Amino acid sequence: MPQPDHVMAFPIPDEAALDEDLKAYYAKCLEKLGLVPNVIRAYSLRPKKLRNFIATYNELMLGDSGLSKLEREMIAVTVSAANRCYYCLVAHGQAVRRLADDPELGEMLAFNHRVARLPPHQRAMLDFAWRLTTEPHMVGDAERAALRGQGFSDEDIFDICDVVGFFNMSNRVASGVDMMPNRDYHAMNR
């Protein structure tokens, strides 16, 4: 059975009714991505929250960090796998395929990050992300020390935690509103 056709369980505002800054953001998405991600369309139900989402996402995923863009996307997929978030697995799995130029890596991370052949520092990062998602009460000094032992700075560890936290929140919103990924993602970068 194909993926449902809706963006989410609630109606989304007509693009023509959006404020000018959000219309401009939609246009920028179309120019850069060839589509407006459904997460943006869904958040348009609450324009102020959409602006906050955009600012936070852009800072975490595109801003300065010791983590590469690929590593941040790998964290997004690993967290989303733990949470079984269909939207983020599809959307960020595509981003991993694109950034890694590897059509298999996104799927490996989506199903089980442990099967992917990764350098030890990325394996440690994803193991930490998985644990912080599934057993946050078990994360302590030993887990942070293990990341330091793989060359991550305190700032890098903070960024890992920040990305993990953001995607745990995003996964819950996406699941709660039955958000569906853009169908285009399925065929991209294969």
Side-chain angles (χ1 to χ4, degrees):
M1 178 156 56
Q3 171 181 296
D5 284 329
H6 63 266
V7 171
M8 69 171 172
F10 309 123
I12 59 168
D14 181 17
E15 182 179 342
L18 296 175
D19 293 338
E20 291 304 314
D21 65 319
L22 296 178
K23 286 180 190 176
Y25 192 78
Y26 272 46
K28 186 176 184 180
C29 288
L30 282 170
E31 175 189 326
K32 290 189 172 226
L33 305 173
L35 56 84
V36 177
N38 280 351
V39 66
I40 302 299
R41 296 176 70 212
Y43 264 89
S44 72
L45 180 64
R46 306 282 289 153
K48 184 175 180 180
K49 290 178 189 240
L50 173 55
R51 290 180 185 95
N52 290 336
F53 178 89
I54 291 167
T56 301
Y57 177 89
N58 287 345
E59 175 59 29
L60 287 175
M61 300 304 283
L62 305 173
D64 290 337
S65 177
L67 306 176
S68 70
K69 290 177 185 177
L70 173 59
E71 287 171 331
R72 289 176 266 184
E73 291 291 352
M74 292 168 69
I75 293 168
V77 174
T78 300
V79 168
S80 300
N83 291 323
R84 298 183 194 136
C85 179
Y86 178 62
Y87 182 95
C88 288
L89 285 169
V90 172
H92 295 282
Q94 181 275 322
V96 167
R97 291 191 305 270
R98 179 179 50 82
L99 291 168
D101 195 25
D102 182 344
E104 295 178 5
L105 183 58
E107 274 67 32
M108 286 187 273
L109 298 180
F111 286 99
N112 181 355
H113 74 275
R114 291 171 194 87
V115 301
R117 287 188 178 170
L118 299 171
H121 76 281
Q122 287 180 341
R123 166 97 39 230
M125 174 189 75
L126 296 182
D127 286 344
F128 179 89
W130 182 271
R131 187 151 204 198
L132 186 56
T133 297
T134 62
E135 299 179 300
H137 60 283
M138 299 300 292
V139 172
D141 289 338
E143 287 73 22
R144 289 182 289 276
L147 289 175
R148 284 187 197 98
Q150 289 298 324
F152 290 103
S153 68
D154 288 347
E155 291 82 3
D156 296 337
I157 297 168
F158 186 94
D159 289 353
I160 292 168
C161 294
D162 211 10
V163 173
V164 168
F166 178 80
F167 280 97
N168 273 289
M169 181 277 298
S170 294
N171 290 171
R172 279 147 182 82
V173 173
S175 295
V177 302
D178 195 28
M179 195 182 300
M180 290 293 125
N182 302 63
R183 287 183 187 278
D184 298 344
Y185 287 132
H186 294 287
M188 295 169 123
N189 306 103
R190 297 273 180 196

